[in-house]
Amino acid sequence: MITGEQKPFEEIWNMVKDFKKVLVFGCNTCVAICHAGGGKEAEILASLLRMKASEEGIAIEINHNAVERHCEPEFFQPVMEDIRTYDLILSTACGVGVNLLSENIGDIPVFPAINTEFFGAVPRAGEFTELCAGCGNCILHLTGGICPIARCSKSLLNGPCGGTNNGSCEVSPDIKCAWVLIYDRMKKLNKLDLMKEINEAKDWSKAQGPRNFKVKVLEEIKK
Amino acid sequence: MSFRDILDSGKFAVTAEIGPPKGTDIKEMYHHIEVLKGKIDVANVTDNQSAVMRISSLAVCKIVLDNGMEPVLQMTCRDRNRIGLQADLLGASVLGIHNVLCLTGDHVNAGDHKQAKSVYDVESVQLLKIVEGMNNGKDMSGNEMKGATNFYAGAVVTPEANPLEPQLVKFEKKVKAGAKFFQTQAIYDMEKFKSFMAYARKFPVKVLAGIVVLKSAGMANFMNKNVPGISVPQVLIDEIKAAGKEKALETGINIAARHIKQLKDEKICDGVHIMAIGMEDKVPMIMERAGLL
Ligand code: SF4
Ligand code: SF4
């Protein structure tokens, strides 16, 4: 899922304070799970902004709404007529949602209320961790299912750097050294020989945007 | 004699680091070059060491060369992508710099530009392969170049990394990728280093032991706690403590000299790499006491 955290309130306030009619627009899928941008968070943010506006003596109409997803137009199309009555949409969806809505809404600005971070796992409720960076050319079969692109601070492909420190990464004791994890796993899988082979430099062209693709089967059917 | 020839001849080699400064005032650096000239075999020029921005390694290598010393160009993969790295390798080559130490590089988190975007387009093993390719007249994409390079390529290894096994896997990959010489992280435990060398001797590479002078017991404790892959044995810490504050540095210098002498006399490795870190002035003294001058 996509993870994100709400921006600092002051930053959000500075974005909205010069508008007259603002919709805080939530997304009830990924960002709801990380308590950053679901309908409930949109509602809370809207009321905080209303309180701030009245404190500052500024007249802004601030409402909230949410749909299931912002990453597919069919989910926000039904409310489009209503949201076009606002002069700012403060989206609590991920950046994908902000982009897509901007493309579809016409001349109304859509601002981000959250910082979109990564796509991650939820090992425990309320905890999120990055395990894949979407590099476009997966090598997990070579690394015991542990991703060195996302999980090594330097995205190294051939083993640990000199900073590896009792299982931690040189960057922080809170980060596990991905290459120690990979080594241990490869050893257990009896695949250390594979780890001894040099991984060639990565084709980063597959990891760089703008990226898009079409599902081949569907394209064939269309033809 | 070139660095390669010195190591191939079996002579015990001594390299020391030159740390480029931050800023255009290079008087002190010139002084270090003067102090080291004629004493050490080659000067190892660091590349934005610890991710702290300084004069480029390439520029300082050229200064070292112009001042009559042979340089080793340290090259990290943190700040340049494969195009930048290859361009600088060609640049170094035409300037007459023919030794390169291929490093991954400390994370920007360690340095003074923590918000920088790290590159790591390639890493140490792949950089070694790039150098090997360029020595054979081809760039990384396989394009024929007009004129090949002639680099003597090296890499680093941490003999006391914890855990050690994955580090050794990487060491072997570096050998396969074309590393001809290795510099180690600072070592203090001769017995442990000997057992590492018993392993490393199985490979056709030259090894220079990393030497960092202990300035105080506090420094030793700090490194034990904070620097991955460095472990100073308690007996050495006690030795410095016993000497008292005034004599701490003196004792540290003697320990370094003693280690270097032992490494040479017992032919444990092929040379030493002295990381003076601000004590370049003391390098000749260390060498004298080690019986090298
Ligand atoms: S190798 Fe690439 S695609 Fe595979 S898990 Fe890592 S980042 Fe994701
Ligand atoms: S310590 Fe491990 S995880 Fe951290 S950068 Fe080095 S190899 Fe990667």
Side-chain angles (χ1 to χ4, degrees):
Chain A
M1 53 169 278
I2 310 287
T3 65
E5 292 176 279
Q6 214 165 80
K7 283 179 173 289
F9 184 74
E10 273 306 308
E11 188 183 344
I12 297 175
W13 170 247
N14 283 323
M15 283 183 198
V16 308
K17 68 178 194 294
D18 297 324
F19 291 87
K20 289 286 160 270
K21 192 178 175 197
V22 176
L23 177 70
V24 185
F25 193 26
C27 178
N28 275 322
T29 306
C30 307
V31 292
I33 298 173
C34 47
H35 304 281
K40 209 193 279 160
E41 289 78 33
E43 186 179 350
I44 297 168
L45 182 57
S47 62
L48 288 172
L49 287 167
R50 275 193 296 272
M51 272 158 54
K52 177 76 175 170
S54 80
E55 237 173 58
E56 303 280 323
I58 298 175
I60 316 179
E61 181 186 339
I62 301 168
N63 297 314
H64 65 91
N65 193 358
V67 293
E68 277 314 295
R69 275 188 229 166
H70 284 218
C71 52
E72 288 184 65
E74 64 183 87
F75 288 89
F76 54 70
Q77 282 311 351
V79 296
M80 211 48 151
E81 206 174 308
D82 175 57
I83 66 178
R84 286 214 174 96
T85 65
Y86 289 86
D87 57 6
L88 173 68
I89 310 300
L90 180 65
S91 169
T92 63
C94 70
V96 175
V98 176
N99 274 270
L100 196 63
L101 189 58
S102 293
E103 266 179 27
N104 283 272
I105 198 170
D107 294 338
I108 301 162
V110 184
F111 286 177
I114 75 169
N115 290 321
T116 305
E117 284 169 34
F118 51 87
F119 43 94
V122 194
R124 272 167 293 277
E127 261 181 50
F128 303 88
T129 177
E130 183 172 24
L131 300 178
C132 163
C135 74
N137 188 5
C138 197
I139 55 153
L140 285 175
H141 56 299
L142 304 175
T143 58
I146 294 164
C147 175
I149 306 294
R151 299 172 72 180
C152 162
S153 301
K154 300 176 188 171
S155 297
L156 304 182
L157 288 177
N158 281 299
C161 70
T164 183
N165 194 6
N166 290 309
S168 292
C169 170
E170 71 174 31
V171 170
S172 159
D174 300 331
I175 302 172
K176 288 197 175 122
C177 173
W179 276 102
V180 171
L181 296 176
I182 293 170
Y183 178 86
D184 290 345
R185 177 116 174 108
M186 296 297 261
K187 195 170 177 182
K188 276 198 199 117
L189 297 175
N190 223 347
K191 284 278 190 306
L192 278 182
D193 283 352
L194 196 55
M195 193 176 151
K196 288 182 183 157
E197 273 168 36
I198 294 177
N199 289 316
E200 299 298 329
K202 197 165 175 63
D203 176 2
W204 289 109
S205 70
K206 301 240 171 10
Q208 280 164 6
R211 294 187 278 181
N212 50 57
F213 66 89
K214 288 181 178 153
V215 178
K216 285 199 193 79
V217 187
L218 293 182
E219 288 295 296
E220 292 296 316
I221 294 170
K222 264 195 222 159
K223 269 188 216 159
Chain B
M1 253 207 290
S2 71
F3 187 36
R4 188 197 308 247
D5 291 341
I6 290 169
L7 283 170
D8 284 345
S9 75
K11 180 182 173 260
F12 192 80
V14 179
T15 81
E17 263 176 20
I18 296 277
K22 184 194 284 288
T24 53
D25 180 350
I26 52 175
K27 282 198 282 301
E28 193 183 348
M29 190 183 84
Y30 267 126
H31 171 68
H32 291 156
I33 292 172
E34 279 311 310
V35 167
L36 296 171
K37 197 158 92 185
K39 309 267 186 338
I40 60 172
D41 296 305
V42 294
N44 228 285
V45 183
T46 54
D47 177 13
N48 291 319
Q49 196 174 19
S50 305
V52 173
M53 189 283 293
R54 308 153 197 266
I55 300 177
S56 75
S57 175
L58 183 53
V60 173
C61 278
K62 173 70 173 143
I63 293 174
V64 166
L65 193 64
D66 289 347
N67 281 275
M69 249 198 305
E70 185 177 343
V72 174
L73 175 72
Q74 296 201 8
M75 218 176 207
T76 76
C77 299
R78 179 193 53 238
D79 311 323
R80 283 159 293 186
N81 70 6
R82 61 190 79 182
I83 299 173
L85 289 166
Q86 292 178 97
D88 281 352
L89 281 166
L90 289 180
S93 192
V94 296
L95 289 174
I97 298 154
H98 300 299
N99 305 307
V100 59
L101 187 77
C102 300
L103 306 157
T104 291
D106 293 327
H107 195 274
V108 294
N109 183 59
D112 65 350
H113 287 65
K114 292 192 191 334
Q115 297 187 343
K117 186 174 194 296
S118 300
V119 181
Y120 303 120
D121 175 23
V122 294
E123 28 90 312
S124 53
V125 174
Q126 294 155 354
L127 181 57
L128 284 161
K129 290 201 74 172
I130 292 175
V131 171
E132 194 172 64
M134 293 177 96
N135 281 348
N136 289 318
K138 288 213 161 92
D139 77 5
M140 193 187 170
S141 294
N143 299 310
E144 208 66 53
M145 303 189 307
K146 220 175 189 179
T149 57
N150 181 25
F151 284 112
Y152 185 52
V156 293
V157 63
T158 305
E160 293 196 38
N162 189 347
L164 183 59
E165 296 81 4
Q167 179 77 198
L168 298 184
V169 169
K170 189 149 189 183
F171 170 80
E172 290 181 28
K173 284 189 183 189
K174 287 177 175 177
V175 177
K176 241 202 263 176
K180 301 286 185 288
F181 70 94
F182 278 84
Q183 296 174 187
T184 78
Q185 176 57 290
I187 52 123
Y188 294 97
D189 188 322
M190 289 298 128
E191 290 313 308
K192 276 198 203 152
F193 185 63
K194 276 188 204 168
S195 69
F196 168 77
M197 282 309 301
Y199 154 83
R201 283 285 187 229
K202 289 190 278 191
F203 303 91
V205 294
K206 305 291 178 184
V207 177
L208 308 173
I211 301 290
V212 172
V213 175
L214 297 170
K215 295 177 197 170
S216 65
M219 172 185 171
N221 287 323
F222 178 86
M223 290 199 304
N224 278 348
K225 209 166 149 231
N226 297 299
V227 186
I230 292 193
S231 103
V232 185
Q234 192 58 41
V235 283
L236 295 183
I237 301 178
D238 292 343
E239 186 178 338
I240 294 172
K241 265 195 198 143
K245 265 218 167 77
E246 306 253 288
K247 287 246 164 94
L249 176 60
E250 181 71 12
T251 311
I253 289 173
N254 287 337
I255 291 171
R258 189 169 82 212
H259 285 170
I260 295 171
K261 189 167 183 335
Q262 186 183 356
L263 291 166
K264 180 171 184 264
D265 291 351
E266 296 181 24
K267 296 193 166 49
I268 298 169
C269 58
D270 307 293
V272 285
H273 171 60
I274 304 172
M275 296 169 267
I277 332 175
M279 295 202 307
E280 287 75 4
D281 281 346
K282 302 273 191 291
V283 171
M285 186 202 282
I286 299 168
M287 291 178 71
E288 249 162 53
R289 291 188 190 173
L292 290 167
L293 291 181

